[in-house]
Amino acid sequence: MQPWILQPKRENGGRVQALLEGPGRRDADGEKNTSLPVPFGPQEERPAAALLSLRLALGPSLHPHSLSTMVGRTSFACEELRTRPKLHKNTAVNRQSQNWKNQNNPRSLRGDVEATHSTSVTSAKVAVNGVQLHYQQTGEGGHAVLLLPGMLGSGETDFGPQLKNLNKKLFTVVAWDPRGYGHSRPPDRDFPADFFERDAKDAVDLMKALKFKKVSLLGWSDGGITALIAAAKYPSYIHKMVIWGANAYVTDEDSMIYEGIRDVSKWSERTRKPLEALYGYDYFARTCEKWVDGIRQFKRLPDGNICRHLLPQVQCPTLIVHGEKDPLVPRFHADFIHEHVKGSRLHLMPEGKHNLHLRFANEFNRLAEGFLQ
């Protein structure tokens, strides 16, 4: 069945609205409607309530993306249409029907991205190392940048402000879902001893499958660890790297922190809800427990080693960003990486926490863009 797609439209009176377009449903008079107005614009305070009403009314005919993702994309696209109508008139929020037809043809998808305006975001899957990896892509610049999410994360949950606001003329931005995360399922996520190395190889091979000759990496948390390993093992392919919230080894203190987040029911609602909407509670809770066991296994290795032995092999220019109020990754991890990655730079954000790229998105994006150029 064709999915429902949210698209921003401009009414005759100038107000920007969103339309829900798709396979249609019968109204009270028996007529089949294929376009339903979504009763909110970017100025509304509670778009989620309107979308929830539509979700309940349309039932299974609405494509099962999380409501939070649909709200974010639609609000962004409406705002873009409102402020820059000549550039964004009738731009789709997420052109999923096209992507479904081309999900196994990444070359076709890349050509489609380059033909559209730089703020559009396309989503697709491509076969890599025996699995179907999901990614989002935006921008038309010659500098390819891969965004690597954290534990349980995906491109859409972890990098909204970066997909939206990183310079589309300078960069082509790709946000991927590692295997078992986000929309890169099946398979379910597992955590063998080499799962970071596996992710690093998947990430590099994904970008090669998309025909990028060289890439820079922006890695958050677990994605930062993956980025470090990729830079060390594939030095000729990695141009530059920005990492934050990463650690190269596990200490007793870290192990206690991990144990404290094992039970997702104790997470803050703001942090929990997007992941719960993406995965469903059971998969979300079960995978978090598996992650805690997976990351704690490194504590049994000499010096709690994850990738500390690889740090001297990193050759690319590296920026380490650390939030000094990060409750999950203590400052000494950033210092250690800075000390052992030759020529790296360390930038501290005094008010930053673990999600500093979301909480201080404008500052972080400016910092990353300046370093990557």
Side-chain angles (χ1 to χ4, degrees):
M1 179 181 291
Q2 179 188 0
W4 288 91
I5 302 173
L6 283 164
Q7 298 200 61
K9 301 287 185 181
R10 177 176 290 282
E11 293 182 339
N12 292 335
R15 173 180 166 84
V16 173
Q17 286 284 76
L19 290 178
L20 189 67
E21 298 183 345
R25 68 180 179 91
R26 299 289 177 181
D27 61 19
D29 297 323
E31 296 293 326
K32 190 174 183 181
N33 292 328
T34 59
S35 182
L36 299 172
V38 177
F40 72 90
Q43 63 272 49
E44 303 292 338
E45 294 182 357
R46 298 190 65 187
L51 275 176
L52 181 58
S53 297
L54 285 169
R55 180 70 179 88
L56 294 174
L58 294 170
S61 61
L62 181 62
H63 186 264
H65 262 294
S66 67
L67 288 176
S68 59
T69 300
M70 298 173 77
V71 170
R73 288 177 178 165
T74 306
S75 298
F76 158 55
C78 285
E79 177 63 17
E80 288 288 296
L81 180 59
R82 184 181 67 82
T83 57
R84 301 169 68 183
K86 292 183 179 180
L87 292 178
H88 296 277
K89 186 176 182 181
N90 295 334
T91 297
V93 176
N94 186 17
R95 301 165 59 202
Q96 292 174 348
S97 58
Q98 176 69 23
N99 296 338
W100 283 16
K101 295 176 183 177
N102 295 287
Q103 64 181 6
N104 292 317
N105 189 351
R107 185 174 297 179
S108 171
L109 258 292
R110 287 190 64 211
D112 189 62
V113 172
E114 293 164 359
T116 59
H117 190 266
S118 60
T119 57
S120 63
V121 178
T122 56
S123 301
K125 287 186 176 183
V126 61
V128 176
N129 298 328
V131 297
Q132 292 284 330
L133 294 179
H134 178 267
Y135 68 95
Q136 294 174 287
Q137 182 172 324
T138 186
E140 55 192 21
H143 189 156
V145 178
L146 177 63
L147 310 179
L148 299 97
M151 175 264 283
L152 278 163
S154 66
E156 67 185 14
T157 59
D158 287 13
F159 293 114
Q162 285 68 51
L163 286 167
K164 176 181 176 181
N165 291 324
L166 285 176
N167 191 311
K168 306 301 191 303
K169 296 297 183 183
L170 295 177
F171 307 113
T172 295
V173 180
V174 176
W176 81 310
D177 300 356
R179 64 171 70 198
Y181 284 165
H183 301 292
S184 293
R185 296 175 289 148
D188 285 354
R189 181 71 178 187
D190 62 351
F191 299 92
D194 65 343
F195 72 89
F196 281 120
E197 285 79 4
R198 182 182 65 185
D199 283 350
K201 178 173 174 53
D202 282 350
V204 168
D205 288 348
L206 167 67
M207 297 303 280
K208 289 181 177 179
L210 297 180
K211 309 302 181 185
F212 294 109
K213 297 186 181 300
K214 201 166 186 176
V215 303
S216 290
L217 305 176
L218 265 63
W220 175 36
S221 195
D222 274 16
I225 299 173
T226 301
L228 286 166
I229 295 172
K233 291 198 167 188
Y234 310 95
S236 64
Y237 193 67
I238 308 305
H239 180 45
K240 292 184 177 183
M241 175 170 58
V242 182
I243 61 170
W244 63 106
N247 53 300
Y249 57 94
V250 175
T251 67
D252 289 335
E253 179 181 349
D254 297 321
S255 191
M256 292 177 62
I257 293 172
Y258 302 149
E259 196 60 39
I261 63 173
R262 178 185 290 273
D263 184 355
V264 299
S265 68
K266 297 179 181 178
W267 290 21
S268 70
E269 183 176 0
R270 182 177 181 181
T271 303
R272 185 182 72 248
K273 285 297 184 181
L275 294 173
E276 190 174 328
L278 176 62
Y279 293 113
Y281 182 83
D282 289 343
Y283 185 87
F284 170 40
R286 181 173 67 253
T287 306
C288 182
E289 291 185 354
K290 290 165 60 178
W291 178 86
V292 171
D293 293 334
I295 194 72
R296 291 185 70 187
Q297 70 184 312
F298 296 104
K299 183 66 181 65
R300 299 192 293 268
L301 300 178
D303 299 317
N305 182 43
I306 301 176
C307 64
R308 57 189 296 160
H309 63 295
L310 294 175
L311 299 185
Q313 300 178 31
V314 175
Q315 300 178 20
C316 66
T318 300
L319 173 63
I320 303 153
V321 184
H322 183 73
E324 295 202 82
K325 294 185 177 180
D326 190 333
L328 299 178
V329 180
R331 162 75 183 272
F332 60 78
H333 283 300
D335 291 335
F336 183 89
I337 297 171
H338 177 43
E339 180 182 353
H340 290 84
V341 174
K342 185 178 180 180
S344 62
R345 291 169 45 189
L346 175 62
H347 180 90
L348 301 176
M349 296 179 65
E351 298 300 316
K353 296 184 180 180
H354 196 58
N355 64 343
L356 57 86
H357 66 299
L358 302 177
R359 176 66 178 82
F360 302 102
N362 291 337
E363 179 182 351
F364 175 85
N365 287 353
R366 286 194 299 268
L367 183 68
E369 286 181 352
F371 179 77
L372 293 175
Q373 291 184 54

